[in-house]
Amino acid sequence: MHTLKKLDKSQVELTITVSPADYQKHLEKAAVRISERAAIKGFRSGKAPYETVKKEVGEMNILNEALEHVIQEAFFNAVVGEKLDTVGMPKIDIEKLAPGNDVVFRATVALLPAVKLADIKKISVKKEIKPTTEKDVDETLNAIRGTRAKEVLKTGVAEKTDKLVIDMDMYLDNVPVEGGQAHDYQVYLSEQHYIPGFNEQLVGLKKDETKDFSLDFAPTHYQKHLAGKKVDFKVKVKNVFERQLPEIDDELAKAVGQEGLTKLKELINSNISTEHEQKAEQKAEIEILDKLIDGSVFDAIPDVLIDAEQQKMFYELKHNLEHQGITIEQYLEQIKKKQEEVMDGFKAQAEKRAKAALASRQVAKEQKIVVSDEEIDKEIKMMEDVYKDNKEYIERLKRPEVRDTIAMSLQNRKVVEWLKSVCLNKS
């Protein structure tokens, strides 16, 4: 027996009553588990009768052992009976728990919010592919040329094509910036530096010369504790190298595995064109989803969905930082923020991502877009082949929840392809 009460933010509260007759089977199974753990005199492990176990450990202990299973079954039956589409784990509050009496508990759970989709046929997005120019090819050729450069020590002043090795100290209000010290730091004057104006300050310096200067960091600089601030620098030049670049010719092409310069240019052109195509495709997909979200109507998004997206975004940030050799602790120290503050900053984007997932789910439902077991198995097999040497990853792929995540990812891909077939390249 249960009653249902609707709450704010797409949540419901179920008050569920389970009679002794309905939970007796769970008590008997719980008694077996207890007798397997606790020695009951005169009986082998797990073989003591229910009444004997009750006499030995007390009925309340058996009820506590059985409680999780009692709640799980009763909650599941109530959800199915009410035809609720729940998300996340319920919050359980026990109201009444005593041997021989009804078990009464309240389960507060979030529901997948209803979505009224925008008129998808009215969404029109044009995929605009950036043309590949001769300048694009030349820039790539120059980058390849730079990787084959010879570096020769020089005694003269640094020019815009040279490389410097320096020691550097950064100060903010005369206080050393944490992480702002670098020794044997290499600076390529021909390349754009992450601190605008930094390279220009080094042109004209010679070996063993020092220079003090200040630079204004942009308000949007990624190092938040330095963004919008004037930072002082002390630099000492340890060495200057002239970078002797090879000619852009057939020899350079052969050095990178091509038969000649013409073939190298063709390959570069093809790669850049493919990259432009992919970027245009991604931009169009984002634009379609943005228009779909903006034109759809969502019931209140439950906190559990937004929280889940915030957690994902924080994990993605951590993963990206680790690829750069930076720990999340170092990053948080650098930006002078706590994890909770960073998570809070993700909230608006997390809500948008939750809406995108809900809209995708609704499109799949209305358009009957499904993923077969064969498609999931094929995707898992492909992942197993890629990560065959990673035993931990392979084991993780066997988990039911991972399979569900893969299925949802494949469904989302199908939804995006369907949306593009309807919304792209309309006149």
Side-chain angles (χ1 to χ4, degrees):
M1 184 177 73
H2 67 267
T3 59
L4 183 144
K5 177 183 176 183
K6 291 185 177 180
L7 305 175
D8 293 337
K9 289 191 175 182
S10 299
Q11 295 184 105
V12 294
E13 179 185 274
L14 291 161
T15 302
I16 301 172
T17 302
V18 189
S19 69
D22 288 333
Y23 66 70
Q24 181 60 36
K25 61 185 178 185
H26 294 295
L27 294 179
E28 291 170 2
K29 290 178 182 177
V32 172
R33 293 196 297 274
I34 290 172
S35 70
E36 287 173 342
R37 297 196 304 264
I40 306 292
K41 191 175 179 180
F43 297 94
R44 285 182 292 125
S45 176
K47 299 300 182 181
Y50 175 77
E51 291 299 327
T52 302
V53 177
K54 183 169 77 171
K55 184 177 179 182
E56 285 285 326
V57 304
E59 195 170 7
M60 191 64 199
N61 283 328
I62 298 176
L63 183 53
N64 281 325
E65 171 76 23
L67 187 60
E68 182 180 348
H69 297 274
V70 173
I71 288 172
Q72 283 178 351
E73 182 183 61
F75 174 73
F76 175 78
N77 289 338
V79 166
V80 171
E82 293 288 346
K83 297 180 180 177
L84 300 176
D85 207 350
T86 64
V87 59
M89 298 298 292
K91 178 179 177 292
I92 303 296
D93 295 296
I94 306 296
E95 291 198 338
K96 186 177 179 183
L97 182 66
N101 290 275
D102 290 345
V103 171
V104 182
F105 66 93
R106 281 182 293 113
T108 305
V109 66
L111 304 180
L112 275 171
V115 181
K116 184 180 179 183
L117 291 174
D119 187 344
I120 295 172
K121 292 179 181 177
K122 290 183 179 179
I123 296 176
S124 178
V125 171
K126 187 175 181 182
K127 183 169 75 173
E128 297 178 348
I129 304 172
K130 180 183 174 184
T132 302
T133 65
E134 190 174 333
K135 182 183 176 185
D136 294 329
V137 176
D138 288 343
E139 285 177 353
T140 303
L141 279 171
N142 279 316
I144 293 171
R145 189 184 181 204
T147 65
R148 316 297 294 189
K150 292 181 180 178
E151 296 177 352
V152 180
L153 274 170
K154 63 183 285 188
T155 55
V157 299
E159 299 175 57
K160 288 185 179 179
T161 53
D162 293 340
K163 182 187 90 170
L164 275 70
V165 177
I166 66 171
D167 287 342
M168 176 181 74
D169 292 282
M170 297 166 59
Y171 298 85
L172 191 60
D173 298 327
N174 295 319
V175 177
V177 173
E178 187 167 353
Q181 295 74 44
H183 297 283
D184 296 329
Y185 178 50
Q186 298 186 25
V187 182
Y188 292 85
L189 297 183
S190 61
E191 299 177 4
Q192 189 173 3
H193 197 272
Y194 79 96
I195 306 171
F198 184 82
N199 284 4
E200 289 76 0
Q201 292 289 337
L202 305 185
V203 173
L205 296 180
K206 293 189 294 187
K207 176 179 169 64
D208 295 329
E209 283 191 335
T210 61
K211 185 174 183 179
D212 296 352
F213 56 90
S214 300
L215 291 173
D216 294 320
F217 278 54
T220 55
H221 190 77
Y222 78 97
Q223 291 172 296
K224 301 302 182 186
H225 65 300
L226 299 178
K229 305 286 181 62
K230 182 183 285 294
V231 179
D232 300 319
F233 293 82
K234 290 182 182 294
V235 169
K236 179 180 179 181
V237 179
K238 301 182 80 171
N239 276 309
V240 179
F241 291 87
E242 179 186 348
R243 303 186 74 238
Q244 297 176 349
L245 300 170
E247 293 297 321
I248 297 177
D249 55 16
D250 287 343
E251 290 305 312
L252 176 64
K254 290 173 183 176
V256 293
Q258 298 302 309
E259 64 182 54
L261 184 58
T262 300
K263 285 292 183 183
L264 177 57
K265 285 184 175 181
E266 288 174 359
L267 178 63
I268 291 170
N269 192 300
S270 174
N271 289 344
I272 293 174
S273 297
T274 300
E275 183 182 345
H276 287 173
E277 165 79 25
Q278 290 171 344
K279 285 183 177 178
E281 191 83 6
Q282 291 167 0
K283 185 174 180 290
E285 289 174 4
I286 292 169
E287 193 174 341
I288 290 170
L289 285 172
D290 283 346
K291 288 186 175 183
L292 176 62
I293 292 168
D294 291 343
S296 300
V297 179
F298 299 82
D299 278 359
I301 310 296
D303 290 338
V304 65
L305 285 180
I306 298 174
D307 291 345
E309 288 299 333
Q310 286 175 292
Q311 289 286 350
K312 285 182 196 174
M313 292 172 74
F314 188 80
Y315 174 79
E316 289 162 8
L317 170 65
K318 182 181 176 185
H319 185 69
N320 291 336
L321 288 169
E322 286 171 353
H323 270 285
Q324 301 171 43
I326 303 169
T327 67
I328 190 66
E329 291 77 18
Q330 289 171 330
Y331 175 76
L332 293 173
E333 176 63 29
Q334 192 177 66
I335 65 173
K336 306 297 180 188
K337 284 188 177 180
K338 296 179 180 178
Q339 178 175 330
E340 295 74 21
E341 293 175 290
V342 174
M343 295 274 284
D344 192 54
F346 291 153
K347 192 163 187 178
Q349 183 63 19
E351 182 172 356
K352 185 176 180 179
R353 283 172 52 153
K355 285 182 175 180
L358 291 166
S360 177
R361 180 189 177 99
Q362 189 65 24
V363 170
K365 183 178 179 181
E366 293 183 12
Q367 300 302 323
K368 296 180 172 55
I369 297 171
V370 296
V371 177
S372 68
D373 285 337
E374 290 77 14
E375 288 172 306
I376 300 170
D377 291 338
K378 183 179 177 181
E379 185 77 4
I380 290 175
K381 178 65 169 62
M382 184 186 73
M383 291 177 169
E384 287 174 342
D385 290 342
V386 171
Y387 296 98
K388 58 187 175 185
D389 297 326
N390 189 332
K391 291 182 180 179
E392 185 180 340
Y393 188 89
I394 296 296
E395 282 302 311
R396 197 157 59 239
L397 287 174
K398 296 176 182 177
R399 296 178 186 170
E401 65 270 22
V402 173
R403 185 180 178 88
D404 291 343
T405 300
I406 292 169
M408 187 57 67
S409 177
L410 290 173
Q411 180 178 285
N412 288 338
R413 282 189 222 164
K414 284 189 168 187
V415 167
V416 168
E417 290 304 315
W418 181 84
L419 286 170
K420 286 193 293 186
S421 72
V422 176
C423 304
L424 267 187
N425 297 322
K426 288 184 178 179
S427 55

